Amino acid sequence: MPKSSLKHHLYVVIFGTHTPAGRAFDIALIVAILVSLVVFTLESIPSIGPTWTKPLRYAEYAFTAIFTIEYLLRLYCSPKPKSYATSFYGVIDLLAILPTYIAFFFPSVAFMGVVRLLRVMRIFRVLKLVRYLQDSNILLRSLLMAKRKIFIFFNTVAILVTILGSLIYVIEGPANGFTSIPQSIYWAIVTITTVGYGDLIPQTALGKAVASVTMLLGYSILAVPTGIITAELNNEMKSHRTLVKCPNCSKAGHESDAMHCKHCGSDLAEPDQRVASFEEK
């Protein structure tokens, strides 16, 4: 799009962060998201919600209008509106405003449960903050790169808790509260991730021995996904640094927000050229 056009200026402000207007827009939007979440939380408090129903409702309408305008502006100035609308952030932006509009069509008391569910969906606004967290895309890509390893890890854990749950069911039995294998698997999951809730406690010596082994396994198992994600995150950060190259000396290894080459001191790409499209982030 032409640099002098309104679309380009809106694009730089809304999708970019290297201009004062872009930074001001992001800060204002973050404040609006946080305040809207406070309003959402206050509505759920019995001692506050009923008393301040109208002010909180009007505040919610105002925030919905703000986020609606933001969503429409992003569609307007995006080079690929369809790609933005179907992207992760585009779907989150839509989910953040839809509940308030849909609630108008379910005013009946019979649909109060549906309305409550739709109102709770406003918590998706917290995901809008992900866009403004520094290097959040690196973390997301690291999780995607590690998804196969994490999937195998969870399959292994699922097999392990099934075996331990079945074993404790045989040892303890219904007399000690382990009434079924699913109930026993629930106990194994709680024990392997924490140290148990206390609602199901082995009574026999052999059952306590199995519980002790399960607790010790929990400490070992929790370290596995941490190592997987950390390794992928390290690899992603290394590859991310190599993307920014100096136009003068052609050396890479710069941070994504670096403005000058750390080897020769030359200027890197101009801010407008550094604003990547939203779909590429």
Side-chain angles (χ1 to χ4, degrees), residues 4-258:
S4 60
S5 65
L6 175 63
K7 272 190 175 184
H8 179 265
H9 289 301
L10 286 175
Y11 174 76
V12 172
V13 171
I14 295 176
F15 289 104
T17 57
H18 295 284
T19 62
R23 287 191 291 269
F25 176 84
D26 290 346
I27 292 172
L29 200 57
I30 291 171
V31 171
I33 294 170
L34 293 175
V35 176
S36 70
L37 291 173
V38 171
V39 171
F40 163 73
T41 305
L42 291 176
E43 283 184 306
S44 65
I45 301 176
S47 60
I48 297 178
T51 307
W52 297 88
T53 300
K54 285 189 176 180
L56 292 175
R57 185 177 301 171
Y58 292 149
E60 169 57 26
Y61 293 158
F63 286 121
T64 301
I66 292 172
F67 296 136
T68 302
I69 294 172
E70 178 221 355
Y71 180 73
L72 294 177
L73 286 176
R74 288 185 182 277
L75 285 175
Y76 171 73
C77 67
S78 175
K80 299 178 181 179
K82 186 177 179 181
S83 298
Y84 160 70
T86 56
S87 66
F88 171 77
Y89 292 124
V91 173
I92 293 302
D93 290 344
L94 184 61
L95 288 176
I97 62 176
L98 272 184
T100 303
Y101 292 114
I102 297 178
F104 283 112
F105 298 97
F106 298 97
S108 175
V109 179
F111 295 99
M112 190 58 68
V114 177
V115 175
R116 189 179 299 115
L117 175 62
L118 292 172
R119 293 174 71 84
V120 171
M121 282 178 62
R122 286 180 294 170
I123 198 65
F124 278 105
R125 287 177 186 170
V126 75
L127 295 180
K128 287 166 67 70
L129 291 172
V130 175
R131 179 188 294 128
Y132 305 102
L133 297 178
Q134 187 177 11
D135 294 333
S136 61
N137 291 315
I138 296 178
L139 179 60
L140 290 175
R141 286 195 296 270
S142 300
L143 292 174
L144 289 175
M145 293 296 293
K147 62 182 180 181
R148 291 184 61 186
K149 298 175 184 176
I150 295 176
F151 178 73
I152 294 172
F153 165 75
F154 276 113
N155 278 342
T156 305
V157 174
I159 294 171
L160 186 61
V161 295
T162 302
I163 294 173
L164 292 172
S166 302
L167 185 61
I168 201 73
Y169 171 74
V170 173
I171 295 172
E172 296 293 329
N176 293 324
F178 296 85
T179 56
S180 64
I181 290 181
Q183 181 82 346
S184 303
I185 292 175
Y186 156 79
W187 169 87
I189 293 173
V190 171
T191 305
I192 210 169
T193 54
T194 60
V195 291
Y197 289 141
D199 52 346
L200 290 174
I201 304 174
Q203 302 297 324
T204 65
L206 185 56
K208 292 178 181 179
V210 172
S212 300
V213 172
T214 305
M215 294 175 194
L216 293 174
L217 283 173
Y219 285 103
S220 304
I221 288 174
L222 289 177
V224 174
T226 305
I228 293 173
I229 296 174
T230 301
E232 292 295 340
L233 183 60
N234 185 47
N235 293 334
E236 187 63 31
M237 291 180 68
K238 286 181 179 179
S239 62
H240 183 68
R241 291 192 188 100
T242 61
L243 296 177
V244 183
K245 294 185 177 181
C246 175
N248 183 44
C249 63
S250 300
K251 290 186 178 180
H254 303 88
E255 298 293 338
S256 59
D257 57 349

